[in-house]
Amino acid sequence: MFRIKILLAILISLCYQPLLAQNKEIKGIVTSAEDGEPLIGATISVKGNEAQGVVTDIEGKYILQIPNSDCTLVVAYLGMKTQELKAPSSGILNISLEAESMNLDEVVVTGYGNFSKSSFTGSANTLRADMMKNVPVMTVEQKLQGMTTGVNITSSSGQPGANQSIRIRGMGSFNASQEPLFVIDGVPVTSGSLSTGGADAAYMNNSKTNIMSTLNPSDIENITVIKDAAAASLYGSRAANGVILITTKQGKAGRTQVSLNIAGGFSDAAVDFRPTLSGDQRYELLYEGLYNYALDKQMKSPSEYAGQEIGKYAYVPELGYTDWRKELLRTAIHQNYEASVSGGNERTTFYASLGYNSQEGLAKNSSLDRYSARLNMSQKVGKYGEVGANVMFTQMNQEMNEERGSSINPFLDVAMLMNPSMTVRDKDGNYVGAYPGTTLNPLRDILTDYNRTRMTRMFSTGYASIEPLKGLKLKETLSYDYTIQKDSRYFNPLSAAGPKSGSDAQTSKGFIEYGKLISSTSLNYVHTFNYKHHLDVLAAYEIESYQTDKASGERSRLPSNSNLVEPDNASVLNSFISSTQAYRMLSYLSRLNYDYDDRYYIAGSFRRDGSSRLSPKNRWGNFWSVSGMWHLSNESFMKPIKHILSDVKIRASYGVNGNQPGSLYGYMGLYTYGQSYMGGFGSYESSLANPNLKWEKNYNLNIGLDLAFLSRIFLSIEYYNRDTKDLLYSLPISATTGFTNYLSNVGQLNNKGVELELRTINFATPHFNWSTVLNLSHNSNKIISLNGQLEQSIEGTWFIHKVGLPYHTFYVKEFAGVDPQNGDALYYTNTLNKDGSYSREITNDISKAQAIPYKSVNPKISGGLTNILNYKQLDLSFTLTYSLGGYSFDKLGTYIENGTTNIYTSKYNLPAYAMDRWQKPGDQTDVPRFVYNQSASDNNSSRYIHSTDHLRLKNLTLGYTLPREWTRKVMVNKARFYFSGSNLLTWAKWKQYDPETPVNGEVFCEAPPMRTFSFGVQLTF
């Protein structure tokens, strides 16, 4: 009976408990974690029912009625991290909110340890995954554009997987590498193209393949860009141009999570690429040119002459005008499928992913397919040990269109070579010569010819660490990066490809294989003394061993069967080349970081590198840095204003890092063999020895100021000065020596500039969050000296390297406009006066004009503006990029406008801006009168130099996450649908080609970047 009474009492209490819970009251106070001050207007609400929340009063106090004890409370305040907390059974909940982590609490990954942004003394920017998500690109470099200060990214091609050029705080070398070092999960990797140049690379056209395209951007957790010497000097000879550190995703202890991302869409050109005249417009203009020619020759009837001659150059084909853009280019389709699984427990964590990405190019013979897989694991061993591994495998298939001066370059065809009067097919649908008397047909050729690359890469890193004493960790990391790239190329017998000669088909194959082994042994000690003294000491020893092997060959005289395209089927060997190279580097490095009471920070590093690329007496180089920071806001005298000026830091660093020759054997005197001499074996001396060749050194000063206002406005300003000395330079020498240049250490180059980054938290509420990041960069590049004697060097036709000027400076005759009375092109004579000034007389005879140093490629200001917004289930983010003050040179313009004779005899297409030509006295234009058989003009005129000023909507993502109560019914934790686009809008001063030009500013007919529209769904289980 007693047991029954107890059971009834329990049942009654269980039934009565929900009734009591309906009116439960929670109260407390909300304060700031920084200074303990109460927060006025903080919101406290029940998750899932935020509309019934309350706000804190003038003392930071609140009282909230909750429906039951099992609910979760959401606490939010502008500029602070939003917290979710379980309702306490006691009814009392005091809450301390921390400042939003947009600035102060970001993690800076250096590869030799991770630091909070607030304790890092150097210059670095970290991009989190949420700032880069869903940007529809194939390479990681494209995600960086406009996202951080001091980083300029350009490309010489818009083809999928094409190589990118990255400059961090300007260019730092003449002949050595100018690209930053990429580090993935703490291990330096090879980036850029596997080709090192030369005839084989040009012929096989494999310099467009970017090895970083093998990395799936969806596997990236964050990216850190290191720009000064404070952390970059730890990488010594590889860090002269900055360091980009990539951290891939790792598993976390907890419930296993499965994610799927499926997306697809389409792409077109980001700009109206080199718009040309229609068939009727071209007819009109060529007729006018013939008419003007007859008029100048005082012919009796200019119109009769023009009418008789125009049919040779412009006519309406039987099937109508041809739109070559529609024939050769397309709307490109892309699709992505990615799956990942992550999880683990307190001792074991894992992250695994599979991905398939396919992207068509704008031309009908360009595409990229990538299959990727990754496995990252870590395992605790006993009480003090840990082992782990990061393994990546990728296979990438790329097909590339031609981009040189060849008639199978589809972008050259639509811009110049193929005019609307040229036909593709006859009335029966058969391919024909584009114009009478030729077999040229670009559409046939790009569909039958091919240039293909298959790249297979496996990058594996394993590590083991042990902590025998608290704070002392011994770690060994072993990494092997292996890549093999296989290239194949075929030209059909009728192809008009540039390097092809004769009427035989040509076929070629080649491969480039490389492997890099890195071993790093480090000892790290971290300890805090008396709660205020923090010490971090590191010592390490590293070995890097690199080897590469390549070969390529070409054969001709294939059987008539077009399926037999293997070189082995051809009867004539045209060429065969091969080489094997290797190098090794040993390094010793150390680092010390110390701070006192989170107020005073000092750090130093030293690295000694020995490279086999230099002679034994100059093999070793020393690289170092010192840096410090004063965390001013943590001083007691700052407390009265800390509620307004919430954070102040002053940083400074100085150090030296270096660059080694690109050639693995640059200091040696080399012979080239495989030559034939009078039917026998022969060789020749191919390079001069220079045993005095040494390291190129970068001396880097950085001064920074970080400010935070109201814990929601963060401002960072930096000044830097970067001097490159002992430049590795191919110095011109007299050809009587048997050589034309000599690799040596000469000259000095300077880059200095200012960077500004402004981050704001505009709104932070339970329903709506909006943050903004604005960055601005200014870099001034200047040659300090060449060889100590030479003041300037003319490079090619329209570039000059001159002391006191930027490296990429144009050297041209200055265009003075068009004479409004007769339509002649005018030029400034620019003859040099005795006082060093230029005479500014105007002439219509370009031969009387002198070339002068003109504009520079480098922009005055560049940067980006990013906004991230969230409203309930909606999310929106977009990035605008901009550049002001830079210029480019239109190399193709010199082909078209270098005397209109070429336009007629070669039957060239014509640019749309030709319709703005001068026609009658009084016309104000910069396009001269159009005349047939006009004498050719110099092609180094400033007429072909154009501004690259532009503003671009670089990325935009709009997403909607389904309510949790909907997705839980189908066992889905999260379901998000999104639209994402890149290069969606472009406002440019010069509209004929893309304003993001190649790094040297010279523009030909490269594939433009793509404007991409992508639609996708993300599912998490």
Side-chain angles (χ1 to χ4, degrees):
M1 187 65 179
F2 180 76
R3 291 180 178 177
I4 294 175
K5 289 180 179 180
I6 292 176
L7 181 60
L8 288 173
I10 293 173
L11 290 173
I12 291 171
S13 66
L14 290 175
C15 294
Y16 188 66
Q17 184 67 28
L19 298 177
L20 293 175
Q22 290 178 0
N23 298 315
K24 188 173 182 61
E25 182 180 270
I26 301 293
K27 61 182 179 180
I29 183 171
V30 180
T31 59
S32 168
E34 288 191 34
D35 51 20
E37 293 295 317
L39 296 176
I40 306 169
T43 61
I44 302 94
S45 58
V46 177
K47 187 174 182 179
N49 191 22
E50 286 86 350
Q52 297 182 8
V54 297
V55 297
T56 55
D57 60 18
I58 194 171
E59 296 179 345
K61 296 179 180 179
Y62 71 94
I63 299 175
L64 176 67
Q65 302 292 329
I66 61 174
N68 57 71
S69 299
D70 294 329
C71 64
T72 299
L73 303 184
V74 179
V75 187
Y77 183 74
L78 184 65
M80 299 290 185
K81 292 181 181 179
T82 298
Q83 289 191 26
E84 294 187 2
L85 303 165
K86 293 292 292 183
S89 58
S90 64
I92 303 296
L93 180 61
N94 295 322
I95 305 152
S96 178
L97 294 182
E98 296 180 352
E100 173 63 38
S101 62
M102 275 192 69
N103 193 325
L104 299 179
D105 297 325
E106 289 178 353
V107 175
V108 177
V109 180
T110 67
Y112 293 100
N114 300 342
F115 304 90
S116 66
K117 180 75 172 178
S118 59
S119 65
F120 187 64
T121 58
S123 176
N125 289 93
T126 297
L127 305 179
R128 304 186 305 269
D130 60 334
M131 295 184 68
M132 304 178 289
K133 65 181 180 181
N134 309 130
V135 179
V137 295
M138 293 292 285
T139 61
V140 63
E141 297 99 324
Q142 294 169 305
K143 285 182 176 285
L144 287 171
Q145 288 183 299
M147 300 296 286
T148 183
T149 58
V151 179
N152 184 41
I153 301 174
T154 59
S155 176
S156 60
S157 172
Q159 295 192 56
N163 205 21
Q164 307 287 312
S165 294
I166 304 176
R167 299 293 179 266
I168 297 178
R169 293 183 168 179
M171 61 167 291
S173 182
F174 288 169
N175 288 85
S177 173
Q178 300 173 23
E179 301 294 326
L181 173 69
F182 277 86
V183 178
I184 300 179
D185 292 329
V187 178
V189 298
T190 297
S191 60
S193 168
L194 287 185
S195 297
T196 56
D200 59 323
Y203 178 74
M204 297 298 288
N205 207 18
N206 45 22
S207 60
K208 295 190 189 75
T209 304
N210 181 6
I211 191 172
M212 290 303 294
S213 297
T214 58
L215 178 63
N216 186 351
S218 296
D219 288 334
I220 296 174
E221 182 65 32
N222 60 57
I223 302 174
T224 299
V225 180
I226 296 176
K227 297 175 286 187
D228 73 333
S233 291
L234 282 169
Y235 292 97
S237 62
R238 297 166 293 183
N241 302 298
V243 184
I244 297 178
L245 300 116
I246 298 171
T247 303
T248 59
K249 295 178 179 178
Q250 304 290 324
K252 297 179 181 179
R255 187 176 179 181
T256 299
Q257 180 173 285
V258 178
S259 299
L260 297 176
N261 184 17
I262 302 172
F266 59 93
S267 306
D268 57 11
V271 295
D272 186 8
F273 175 76
R274 294 193 182 273
T276 55
L277 300 183
S278 66
D280 291 334
Q281 289 174 321
R282 182 174 178 274
Y283 182 97
E284 173 191 341
L285 193 60
L286 292 181
Y287 180 91
E288 182 179 312
L290 292 165
Y291 181 91
N292 288 337
Y293 171 76
L295 192 66
D296 292 349
K297 295 295 184 181
Q298 299 182 348
M299 294 183 183
K300 184 179 296 185
S301 176
S303 59
E304 181 179 345
Y305 172 79
Q308 291 174 349
E309 296 294 314
I310 188 64
K312 298 178 182 178
Y313 314 111
Y315 50 87
V316 181
E318 182 181 357
L319 299 179
Y321 287 123
T322 301
D323 187 340
W324 283 99
R325 292 178 189 268
K326 288 185 177 179
E327 296 290 345
L328 300 178
L329 308 180
R330 64 185 172 188
T331 298
I333 305 300
H334 71 269
Q335 51 186 322
N336 301 319
Y337 305 92
E338 295 166 347
S340 66
V341 56
S342 63
N345 52 42
E346 296 300 325
R347 299 191 62 81
T348 305
T349 61
F350 64 91
Y351 170 84
S353 71
L354 293 172
Y356 169 70
N357 309 89
S358 175
Q359 172 74 69
E360 292 180 342
L362 297 176
K364 291 184 177 180
N365 61 338
S366 64
S367 62
L368 181 71
D369 293 321
R370 179 179 62 207
Y371 304 85
S372 62
R374 172 171 289 277
L375 176 62
N376 294 348
M377 294 191 68
S378 67
Q379 173 68 53
K380 301 286 186 183
V381 179
K383 190 175 181 180
Y384 305 106
E386 181 179 334
V387 296
N390 300 329
V391 180
M392 181 190 83
F393 176 84
T394 300
Q395 182 169 288
M396 194 167 67
N397 300 314
Q398 183 183 27
E399 184 157 357
M400 297 170 284
N401 62 259
E402 180 65 78
E403 290 192 343
R404 292 168 290 172
S406 166
S407 58
I408 62 169
N409 176 348
F411 298 98
L412 179 60
D413 289 332
V414 300
M416 186 178 76
L417 296 182
M418 298 293 112
N419 70 64
S421 296
M422 296 179 176
T423 56
V424 181
R425 300 177 181 85
D426 59 22
K427 60 183 179 180
D428 297 322
N430 300 314
Y431 288 120
V432 297
Y435 57 92
T438 72
T439 60
L440 169 66
N441 194 306
L443 179 60
R444 176 202 61 214
D445 291 344
I446 70 170
L447 295 178
T448 54
D449 296 358
Y450 60 76
N451 179 18
R452 295 169 181 163
T453 289
R454 168 172 286 190
M455 181 179 287
T456 303
R457 184 184 192 190
M458 188 170 74
F459 176 45
S460 303
T461 301
Y463 70 88
S465 66
I466 186 171
E467 191 172 5
L469 300 174
K470 185 177 181 181
L472 181 66
K473 180 180 288 187
L474 176 64
K475 184 177 181 180
E476 170 63 29
T477 301
L478 192 64
S479 168
Y480 189 67
D481 192 359
Y482 173 81
T483 299
I484 183 167
Q485 175 178 307
K486 298 180 179 179
D487 302 294
S488 59
R489 180 136 205 186
Y490 170 74
F491 296 125
N492 78 77
L494 299 177
S495 175
K500 182 180 182 298
S501 60
S503 59
D504 295 321
Q506 293 180 4
T507 179
S508 56
K509 267 195 171 184
F511 76 90
I512 303 174
E513 178 187 50
Y514 92 89
K516 179 187 286 187
L517 176 67
I518 294 180
S519 171
S520 175
T521 305
S522 65
L523 187 64
N524 190 200
Y525 179 67
V526 180
H527 191 71
T528 299
F529 302 91
N530 298 327
Y531 303 100
K532 290 187 176 183
H533 302 270
H534 307 284
L535 183 66
D536 184 342
V537 183
L538 172 79
Y541 169 70
E542 294 183 348
I543 302 175
E544 178 178 321
S545 179
Y546 171 95
Q547 55 280 328
T548 181
D549 187 15
K550 65 179 180 180
S552 64
E554 176 193 276
R555 303 187 74 163
S556 58
R557 299 285 178 90
L558 282 163
S560 59
N561 189 338
S562 61
N563 293 323
L564 302 176
V565 296
E566 281 292 321
D568 195 47
N569 296 321
S571 60
V572 175
L573 176 66
N574 296 347
S575 66
F576 181 84
I577 58 174
S578 64
S579 67
T580 300
Q581 295 182 324
Y583 88 89
R584 178 171 290 186
M585 185 165 66
L586 301 181
S587 305
Y588 304 90
L589 64 102
S590 60
R591 181 204 67 206
L592 184 147
N593 292 339
Y594 168 79
D595 72 87
Y596 171 73
D597 197 25
D598 197 22
R599 287 185 289 165
Y600 312 112
Y601 294 79
I602 188 169
S605 68
F606 178 81
R607 180 177 180 120
R608 183 168 171 81
D609 284 339
S611 172
S612 64
R613 300 189 191 187
L614 297 166
S615 64
K617 70 176 183 178
N618 292 320
R619 183 152 290 172
W620 290 92
N622 299 322
F623 311 99
W624 54 269
S625 72
V626 291
S627 59
M629 181 177 68
W630 183 16
H631 205 161
L632 190 62
S633 55
N634 285 346
E635 297 288 355
S636 58
F637 59 81
M638 293 291 291
K639 287 185 179 180
I641 62 171
K642 200 168 183 180
H643 62 289
I644 298 175
L645 187 57
S646 48
D647 196 65
V648 184
K649 291 184 296 183
I650 301 173
R651 295 176 284 110
S653 67
Y654 185 79
V656 180
N657 42 38
N659 221 341
Q660 56 184 329
S663 171
L664 303 191
Y665 311 103
Y667 72 94
M668 296 182 178
L670 301 177
Y671 282 81
T672 294
Y673 294 87
Q675 308 300 308
S676 176
Y677 179 72
M678 298 183 65
F681 170 83
S683 64
Y684 68 93
E685 191 176 1
S686 55
S687 66
L688 284 172
N690 183 2
N692 296 318
L693 197 66
K694 57 185 178 180
W695 295 94
E696 184 177 273
K697 295 287 187 70
N698 262 259
Y699 299 82
N700 205 327
L701 169 70
N702 189 85
I703 300 173
L705 174 65
D706 300 323
L707 303 171
F709 301 91
L710 304 173
S711 296
R712 66 188 185 100
I713 301 174
F714 307 94
L715 178 65
S716 179
I717 303 173
E718 296 195 65
Y719 166 81
Y720 62 87
N721 186 81
R722 176 186 177 199
D723 283 303
T724 308
K725 301 179 181 180
D726 297 326
L727 285 158
L728 292 161
Y729 185 55
S730 293
L731 190 67
I733 58 175
S734 172
T736 58
T737 63
F739 302 91
T740 58
N741 55 65
Y742 177 68
L743 185 60
S744 57
N745 296 97
V746 296
Q748 182 177 340
L749 188 66
N750 175 263
N751 287 274
K752 65 175 62 175
V754 178
E755 298 171 356
L756 181 147
E757 183 177 81
L758 176 65
R759 300 186 176 203
T760 61
I761 304 171
N762 306 314
F763 290 93
T765 71
H767 294 297
F768 180 55
N769 292 275
W770 174 22
S771 59
T772 301
V773 182
L774 169 68
N775 64 69
L776 178 151
S777 302
H778 164 71
N779 180 75
S780 175
N781 173 267
K782 183 170 65 175
I783 298 174
I784 304 300
S785 68
L786 291 172
N787 65 348
Q789 300 175 351
L790 190 67
E791 284 296 311
Q792 66 181 43
S793 173
I794 309 300
E795 302 292 330
T797 307
W798 41 73
F799 285 106
I800 185 172
H801 297 160
K802 185 175 181 178
V803 173
L805 295 180
Y807 183 81
H808 292 301
T809 296
F810 298 115
Y811 185 69
V812 292
K813 298 181 178 183
E814 189 177 3
F815 181 55
V818 172
D819 190 329
Q821 299 305 313
N822 57 22
D824 286 349
L826 302 176
Y827 300 89
Y828 294 106
T829 56
N830 281 325
T831 52
L832 192 62
N833 299 319
K834 291 182 178 180
D835 61 359
S837 63
Y838 290 108
S839 174
R840 303 284 287 172
E841 296 176 5
I842 295 178
T843 178
N844 63 354
D845 184 355
I846 194 171
S847 65
K848 296 180 180 180
Q850 302 298 314
I852 61 169
Y854 196 58
K855 306 289 187 179
S856 170
V857 174
N858 305 329
K860 302 297 183 184
I861 297 175
S862 61
L865 173 68
T866 298
N867 281 274
I868 303 174
L869 302 95
N870 292 275
Y871 177 70
K872 294 184 178 180
Q873 280 80 39
L874 281 171
D875 63 89
L876 171 67
S877 64
F878 62 90
T879 296
L880 294 164
T881 58
Y882 62 90
S883 178
L884 300 171
Y887 291 86
S888 64
F889 188 90
D890 185 6
K891 180 180 178 180
L892 184 70
T894 67
Y895 284 37
I896 298 175
E897 299 181 34
N898 188 13
T900 51
T901 304
N902 286 336
I903 295 174
Y904 287 86
T905 57
S906 301
K907 299 180 172 58
Y908 283 171
N909 213 339
L910 289 171
Y913 62 78
M915 294 301 288
D916 297 330
R917 81 283 186 196
W918 183 96
Q919 291 182 281
K920 63 182 185 303
D923 283 353
Q924 300 292 326
T925 180
D926 59 355
V927 181
R929 180 172 179 252
F930 198 81
V931 183
Y932 168 71
N933 206 30
Q934 188 178 54
S935 59
S937 61
D938 285 355
N939 60 8
N940 67 333
S941 162
S942 65
R943 281 183 60 193
Y944 310 114
I945 293 178
H946 305 290
S947 170
T948 55
D949 291 359
H950 72 277
L951 173 67
R952 168 166 281 170
L953 179 55
K954 194 67 182 179
N955 303 306
L956 182 144
T957 300
L958 175 64
Y960 178 75
T961 302
L962 295 179
R964 188 91 181 272
E965 54 268 24
W966 296 5
T967 59
R968 281 186 300 185
K969 296 177 181 179
V970 291
M971 301 181 66
V972 175
N973 187 48
K974 180 180 179 181
R976 177 175 177 267
F977 297 87
Y978 66 90
F979 160 77
S980 188
S982 63
N983 299 324
L984 295 179
L985 295 170
T986 303
W987 298 271
K989 193 169 184 179
W990 178 251
K991 299 178 173 59
Q992 299 302 307
Y993 47 76
D994 191 75
E996 294 179 357
T997 61
V999 69
N1000 69 347
E1002 184 179 281
V1003 183
F1004 186 54
C1005 262
E1006 303 82 8
M1010 292 190 289
R1011 176 173 57 182
T1012 300
F1013 303 84
S1014 186
F1015 304 87
V1017 58
Q1018 294 174 324
L1019 301 175
T1020 302
F1021 303 91

